[in-house]
Amino acid sequence: MKKLLISSIAVGMLFATPSIDDLQNQINDLQTKLKTLQKKQSNTASSLQKVKQTHYEDHINFHFDMRSSIDKINYKMKSGKKYNNTILSNKVELTGLAKVDDNLKATLKLEANNIFGMNDANNPYDNQNSFANETPDDTNLRVKEAFFNYFFGEDGQYMFSAGRRPAVGGYPANMREGDVPTSPVAHLVNMEFDGFSLWLKSDAMGSFGEDYGTNIKFCFGRGYSSNKGKFSTDGSPAYSKTDLDSNDMGGFLLIPYNDDQYSIWWENIWSWHVQGYVADAQGNMKVADVGSFFGSNIIFKADGVGEEISDFLDDTKAFVSLAYTKTNPNSNGMLGSTDSKMGYSVWLGADMPFGEDGDRMGINVVHGSKYYRAMTYGEDTLAGSIAAVRGTAIDAYYNHTLTEHLTTSIRATYLNYSDAGSEAFFGDGGNPDQKDYVEKATDIRAYIRYNF
């Protein structure tokens, strides 16, 4: 019986075996299905690549920052006349970050900084490259930053950068805005330049650099280009030289010591063919080359005070910044004088935890001498720059987190000017001995900010 059953199964399998034609048809069907699957996989891979293109590691990733502010400003002139205004403004930044590989990175930052409603400021100087992004005006979208960083040498110990590099929002001004510093320091230089930089990191400075965190960065920038543009009114060829020389600035930032808690930063700058307004023989104001300029700024800063004394001090940032400037005018005069003038400024401050987790409060006190002149036109407050004050400025702020990406801030700034010309153009406008000028100014500011 068992043999009969096995034989029956064998005969059944024999008759069930497909023919060669059936096998070929099955193979063709499998090949068709395989091609279809490969096409679907290719489409899926293409879709994944498009998604990856938005990722920081492959192409460019955009970061969005929008801040709506209200400023209540008041001025009292030396003559006794008073001015006041309430200003609503909106500042939008789009920051694109790209990282092609570990040695090459690029940044693009676009900004629109506008006053609500119609703005009656039709002055062409409002839109100069050096400060147009920092002073609210129209709704035009401008290039604030556009540069690349190329790291080379052993383990990327050197860095070369070119383009429109960040030169505003440096330390310690960044803390008032609740930002990380985009530029090294803001006491002496807080205006935008196109230029180049070369950074020698601590591991490029030998064992001394590695032991003490020593590093140095060299920078060069151009604030004014001496050319007449594509079409000139006097028949000159395209981009031919004007009567003025180009205004260039160079310098270096040396960090002799940095242990990640305490550090010393020392910045030195030189600027040649500085532009300013001076009176001609008929008493009319004209743009002229007024001479050269030197500045030096040293900052002692602590990212945490003491060694585990308390959680409050561990999370407190404090600093002392000392700045020095010296003019070297030509016959046109600088800061209202043909004599070389020296000035100094002291900036003290602290940024501390306060209230809920992530909230910060801070205070700044700045004092500047009669002929101190920081390289800034992009005001850090709408009423005037505390970094450039000739006199005394006091500034206090509180930054509060509403949700993960929504913050708010309130800040009060008081400026008591001892002399005129704190933020004026180099030349006659920077003369500290003018008859009438802003003697006192205040700016009460609040903003709400979305940052993602």
Side-chain angles (χ1 to χ4, degrees):
M1 184 65 182
K2 186 182 290 185
K3 291 181 179 179
L4 180 61
L5 179 62
I6 293 173
S7 298
S8 300
I9 294 173
V11 172
M13 290 179 64
L14 180 62
F15 282 101
T17 302
S19 66
I20 295 176
D21 291 339
D22 290 335
L23 288 173
Q24 185 62 49
N25 290 335
Q26 290 178 17
I27 291 172
N28 292 340
D29 185 56
L30 287 173
Q31 288 178 337
T32 300
K33 291 180 178 179
L34 181 60
K35 290 180 180 179
T36 302
L37 181 60
Q38 288 174 338
K39 185 177 181 180
K40 289 181 178 179
Q41 288 178 332
S42 178
N43 291 337
T44 302
S46 177
S47 298
L48 288 173
Q49 181 62 26
K50 290 179 181 179
V51 172
K52 288 177 67 178
Q53 286 177 354
T54 64
H55 193 273
Y56 173 80
E57 292 293 334
D58 290 317
H59 287 269
I60 189 165
N61 182 35
F62 270 97
H63 165 79
F64 176 69
D65 188 345
M66 183 183 72
R67 189 175 336 203
S68 297
S69 306
I70 180 170
D71 287 77
K72 177 66 177 177
I73 58 175
N74 290 275
Y75 301 98
K76 179 181 177 296
M77 307 297 289
K78 187 177 181 181
S79 62
K81 189 174 182 178
K82 296 180 180 180
Y83 298 88
N84 64 79
N85 199 6
T86 300
I87 300 168
L88 294 169
S89 60
N90 200 41
K91 184 176 183 180
V92 178
E93 291 182 346
L94 292 174
T95 303
L97 302 174
K99 181 183 178 183
V100 179
D101 55 45
D102 290 338
N103 296 326
L104 185 59
K105 302 176 183 179
T107 301
L108 171 67
K109 181 173 287 189
L110 306 176
E111 180 179 302
N113 192 359
N114 73 284
I115 292 176
F116 283 23
M118 180 180 177
N119 182 17
D120 194 37
N122 296 315
N123 191 324
Y125 308 114
D126 286 337
N127 294 321
Q128 287 194 188
N129 282 345
S130 54
F131 55 83
N133 285 296
E134 303 309 308
T135 51
D137 187 3
D138 53 37
T139 56
N140 291 341
L141 192 67
R142 296 180 174 87
V143 176
K144 182 179 177 67
E145 297 173 12
F147 64 96
F148 69 86
N149 293 335
Y150 173 58
F151 298 86
F152 61 99
E154 185 177 353
D155 297 324
Q157 59 188 192
Y158 306 101
M159 187 275 287
F160 173 75
S161 181
R164 189 163 180 79
R165 292 192 43 76
V168 298
Y171 187 92
N174 66 291
M175 294 187 289
R176 305 157 71 221
E177 299 296 328
D179 293 330
V180 296
T182 54
S183 177
V185 291
H187 193 175
L188 183 62
V189 179
N190 196 44
M191 60 190 297
E192 293 165 334
F193 279 88
D194 299 282
F196 311 90
S197 69
L198 176 65
W199 181 25
L200 282 65
K201 298 163 65 174
S202 57
D203 52 357
M205 307 290 286
S207 59
F208 180 88
E210 293 180 345
D211 291 342
Y212 293 97
T214 303
N215 62 89
I216 189 170
K217 181 183 287 186
F218 299 94
C219 299
F220 172 83
R222 173 157 289 182
Y224 168 78
S225 181
S226 176
N227 71 81
K228 296 184 179 181
K230 174 65 176 176
F231 303 104
S232 64
T233 57
D234 61 2
S236 301
Y239 303 107
S240 57
K241 190 178 182 303
T242 67
D243 295 334
L244 299 174
D245 290 318
S246 295
N247 173 211
D248 296 326
M249 185 173 75
F252 67 87
L253 173 70
L254 172 66
I255 303 177
Y257 179 80
N258 182 8
D259 65 6
D260 293 330
Q261 181 180 6
Y262 300 107
S263 60
I264 302 172
W265 296 46
W266 183 35
E267 181 180 57
N268 291 275
I269 62 168
W270 292 264
S271 185
W272 305 274
H273 307 296
V274 178
Q275 310 296 309
Y277 285 87
V278 297
D280 60 18
Q282 291 74 38
N284 300 314
M285 301 301 291
K286 66 173 184 177
V287 180
D289 177 347
V290 297
S292 59
F293 171 90
F294 169 75
S296 184
N297 179 201
I298 187 166
I299 298 180
F300 305 89
K301 62 178 183 175
D303 191 359
V305 178
E307 296 292 337
E308 298 183 353
I309 299 173
S310 68
D311 291 341
F312 177 81
L313 290 177
D314 287 346
D315 199 18
T316 293
K317 300 177 182 181
F319 63 91
V320 178
S321 180
L322 309 173
Y324 163 84
T325 61
K326 182 178 184 296
T327 61
N328 183 26
N330 56 26
S331 58
N332 288 316
M334 181 179 285
L335 307 184
S337 175
T338 55
D339 297 327
S340 177
K341 298 293 183 180
M342 294 179 290
Y344 71 87
S345 178
V346 181
W347 187 346
L348 311 174
D351 179 86
M352 303 155 282
F354 182 80
E356 300 177 9
D357 289 344
D359 290 3
R360 309 290 296 184
M361 68 170 294
I363 187 167
N364 296 278
V365 179
V366 187
H367 178 76
S369 70
K370 181 175 183 177
Y371 282 100
Y372 176 69
R373 181 60 175 90
M375 292 292 287
T376 174
Y377 298 114
E379 310 303 358
D380 44 67
T381 80
L382 296 192
S385 172
I386 67 170
V389 66
R390 291 173 174 174
T392 301
I394 301 173
D395 180 83
Y397 60 89
Y398 171 54
N399 298 332
H400 172 61
T401 300
L402 295 171
T403 66
E404 184 179 0
H405 299 289
L406 193 65
T407 58
T408 187
S409 174
I410 185 168
R411 186 177 76 198
T413 305
Y414 171 73
L415 302 110
N416 186 0
Y417 294 99
S418 302
D419 301 281
S422 291
E423 302 102 22
F425 289 107
F426 288 87
D428 292 347
N431 184 353
D433 295 320
Q434 298 173 53
K435 293 181 179 180
D436 196 18
Y437 60 93
V438 175
E439 190 174 50
K440 292 180 173 61
T442 61
D443 184 354
I444 308 298
R445 180 194 189 217
Y447 73 69
I448 187 166
R449 177 184 188 184
Y450 176 82
N451 193 353
F452 179 78

